[in-house]
Amino acid sequence: MLGYWILIGIPTLLSFAGIRKRKDLNMGLFIVGFVYLIFIGLRYEVGADRVAYAEMYDNIASLSFQNALLYTESGFAALNWVLAQMDAGVYWVNFIVAIIFVSGLIQFAKRTPLPWLALISVTPYLVIAVAMSGVRQSAAIGLVFHLMASWRKGLVIKLFFSLVAILFHYSALMSLIFVQQSVKMPVWFRVSLLSLGAIAMYPILSTTDAYAKYNQTYLEDNIVSSGALMHVLLNAIPAAIYLLLSRKWKAKFGESDFLPMLSVLSIASVFGVGVSSTGIDRLALYLSPIQMIVYGSLPLVFGRQHTTKLSLAIVGLHLIILFWWLNYANTAFAFLPYNNLIIHWLVD
């Protein structure tokens, strides 16, 4: 367990280090991002889905490129196929996906007022439980973080990140909602555009094995995810905080284009758990930016005299979440003990 406590301990210590210059902050985030990359990307025999992804890599390696693209999401299939032709191994898949995830995470953290608290807020679940196991979706989430970090940029760059994310995990279709929200247009036009997009993409996606698997898992069998409610609450609680403090928030930080959208979707996801717990559990991961924004801003809402106390409360809350997950989560055993390829190479 020590490795996980060290991982969350680094941004925890830095959050109270008083780093205020933007240059120093960016350098600190780069270094911490590198630590996260090594921790996630070079993990060895860690994660609940590691065996499934190793088998997927081996299966794709034996296929033609065309058949590989139909085996799973085409972006992830292409990455595995190319690396397999180079005889690189599944650990290179993990490392490249970790680059995508961590780079997006750090870029988005930079956009928050208190980036260390933003990182702490997603470390116990999103970074450890998701990014170190669900390889395909962690790549998609990293790209959605890039999308969010590019919120003030042009439509083309945001659409690029959204479409590439979909190529890694079809659940990232949800990111198209974010792209539309960033563009001013009438509501009826938004709905029409989403509907037309869904109609156009359905015949393409429905021909893949991945679509058939998701349809069976999320809709027909409706497999229950035991931790789904707790996972969506990780988003719903900061969403509720924002909605309750929206006037103070606007007075301090101004109007936000996407905070209200993320908040409403996060609250709605709580009620969706009863419909398809596993499906909602997956989709709610794309709402994780609400955690980073709210917890990475909240201490400043009430003035600097309360910053330290609120920061301590936020850190304490997430240390409790990590403790609970490591000791009581159903899949925690697959992450313990933590091992790293560097350690494995040194020992062997």
Side-chain angles (χ1 to χ4, degrees):
M1 292 187 187
L2 180 60
Y4 299 113
W5 290 111
I6 292 174
L7 188 68
I8 198 171
I10 295 171
T12 296
L13 291 174
L14 290 171
S15 66
F16 298 104
I19 303 173
R20 290 186 174 85
K21 290 184 179 179
R22 177 52 60 177
K23 181 180 179 181
D24 295 338
L25 196 56
N26 287 341
M27 178 57 68
L29 285 167
F30 176 81
I31 294 170
V32 172
F34 182 75
V35 173
Y36 273 54
L37 173 61
I38 297 302
F39 197 89
I40 299 169
L42 295 182
R43 65 190 183 277
Y44 177 69
E45 294 187 351
V46 171
D49 295 331
R50 66 180 184 272
V51 174
Y53 278 108
E55 291 176 353
M56 185 181 295
Y57 176 87
D58 291 338
N59 291 337
I60 289 175
S62 65
L63 299 174
S64 67
F65 183 67
Q66 184 177 359
N67 288 333
L69 295 181
L70 296 176
Y71 185 84
T72 187
E73 284 88 345
S74 57
F76 188 71
L79 175 63
N80 277 262
W81 190 87
V82 169
L83 290 173
Q85 304 315 300
M86 298 165 61
D87 200 26
V90 71
Y91 289 109
W92 269 104
V93 177
N94 292 344
F95 189 73
I96 291 172
V97 167
I99 292 174
I100 298 171
F101 175 80
V102 173
S103 62
L105 179 71
I106 297 300
Q107 283 301 314
F108 188 73
K110 286 181 180 180
R111 305 302 191 273
T112 63
L114 301 169
W116 302 121
L117 289 180
L119 276 180
I120 291 166
S121 70
V122 292
T123 296
Y125 182 63
L126 188 70
V127 170
I128 294 174
V130 176
M132 294 178 62
S133 184
V135 184
R136 284 173 299 174
Q137 195 167 11
S138 66
I141 292 167
L143 289 161
V144 171
F145 273 130
H146 276 294
L147 187 163
M148 292 289 194
S150 307
W151 194 261
R152 300 297 179 190
K153 296 182 180 179
L155 176 62
V156 174
I157 186 69
K158 287 177 286 192
L159 196 58
F160 168 79
F161 284 127
S162 177
L163 293 177
V164 177
I166 294 167
L167 293 179
F168 277 89
H169 205 278
Y170 292 150
S171 62
L173 280 164
M174 184 175 180
S175 65
L176 291 174
I177 298 175
F178 305 155
V179 175
Q180 286 201 22
Q181 185 65 25
S182 70
V183 181
K184 292 184 178 180
M185 62 179 74
V187 176
W188 67 267
F189 190 70
R190 285 186 203 278
V191 175
S192 300
L193 202 59
L194 272 176
S195 301
L196 289 172
I199 293 170
M201 296 189 76
Y202 177 78
I204 299 172
L205 301 181
S206 61
T207 60
T208 65
D209 292 344
Y211 173 86
K213 178 183 175 182
Y214 296 146
N215 184 63
Q216 183 75 28
T217 300
Y218 301 149
L219 299 178
E220 294 179 12
D221 293 345
N222 195 14
I223 293 175
V224 175
S225 177
S226 59
L229 180 58
M230 300 191 76
H231 299 159
V232 299
L233 285 175
L234 293 175
N235 296 328
I237 291 172
I241 291 172
Y242 166 74
L243 293 174
L244 288 171
L245 300 175
S246 59
R247 288 187 179 180
K248 282 182 175 290
W249 213 282
K250 291 174 184 177
K252 180 67 178 180
F253 302 110
E255 293 285 344
S256 173
D257 295 335
F258 61 95
L259 259 177
M261 170 196 64
L262 289 177
S263 298
V264 171
L265 290 174
S266 296
I267 299 292
S269 66
V270 176
F271 301 97
V273 170
V275 179
S276 176
S277 61
T278 303
I280 292 297
D281 198 5
R282 296 289 181 270
L283 293 175
L285 294 172
Y286 299 107
L287 303 176
S288 297
I290 189 72
Q291 300 175 48
M292 298 182 71
I293 299 168
V294 171
Y295 293 126
S297 307
L298 183 61
L300 301 179
V301 173
F302 295 96
R304 293 201 174 270
Q305 66 271 28
H306 299 293
T307 300
T308 301
K309 287 184 286 188
L310 286 171
S311 296
L312 283 169
I314 291 168
V315 169
L317 170 65
H318 289 90
L319 292 179
I320 291 170
I321 291 172
L322 179 58
F323 176 83
W324 176 89
W325 187 84
L326 287 172
N327 288 278
Y328 301 108
N330 292 337
T331 57
F333 70 92
F335 296 79
L336 299 171
Y338 174 78
N339 202 355
N340 191 279
L341 278 170
I342 295 175
I343 299 172
H344 178 69
W345 291 331
L346 290 175
V347 171
D348 288 356

